[in-house]
Amino acid sequence: MQRWEYRIEESGRGLNRSQLDNLGRQGCRLVSEIVLDDPHKGRTIRAIFERLRD
């Protein structure tokens, strides 16, 4: 059975190209991005990644 591990990255403007490339080299795959609008914190983008666990 395959096992997956998940990672959540947050930022105000989304992840930049070098961050995405670095996560890809680690074997992570982007699953979803969620935009959260909070009146106190402003906009936050939450990216969810998965990686096959050894």
Side-chain angles (χ1 to χ4, degrees), residues 32-43:
S32 179
E33 279 190 331
I34 302 166
V35 178
L36 305 168
D37 286 317
D38 184 327
H40 303 291
K41 292 170 71 177
R43 175 179 279 183

Side-chain angles (χ1 to χ4, degrees), residues 1-2 4 6 9-10 12-14 17 20 28-30 33 35 38 40 43-44 46-48 51-53:
M1 176 166 67
Q2 291 183 335
W4 297 89
Y6 293 88
E9 296 286 331
E10 287 188 3
R13 294 200 271 177
R17 174 73 187 253
L20 291 170
C28 294
R29 178 172 66 178
L30 179 64
E33 279 190 331
V35 178
D38 184 327
H40 303 291
R43 175 179 279 183
T44 301
R46 187 174 291 164
I48 302 168
R51 180 172 73 165
L52 191 59
R53 203 167 161 194

Side-chain angles (χ1 to χ4, degrees), residues 8-33:
I8 297 173
E9 296 286 331
E10 287 188 3
S11 73
R13 294 200 271 177
L15 299 174
N16 63 38
R17 174 73 187 253
S18 65
Q19 290 171 307
L20 291 170
D21 288 345
N22 186 36
L23 288 164
R25 280 190 292 276
Q26 295 174 25
C28 294
R29 178 172 66 178
L30 179 64
V31 175
S32 179
E33 279 190 331

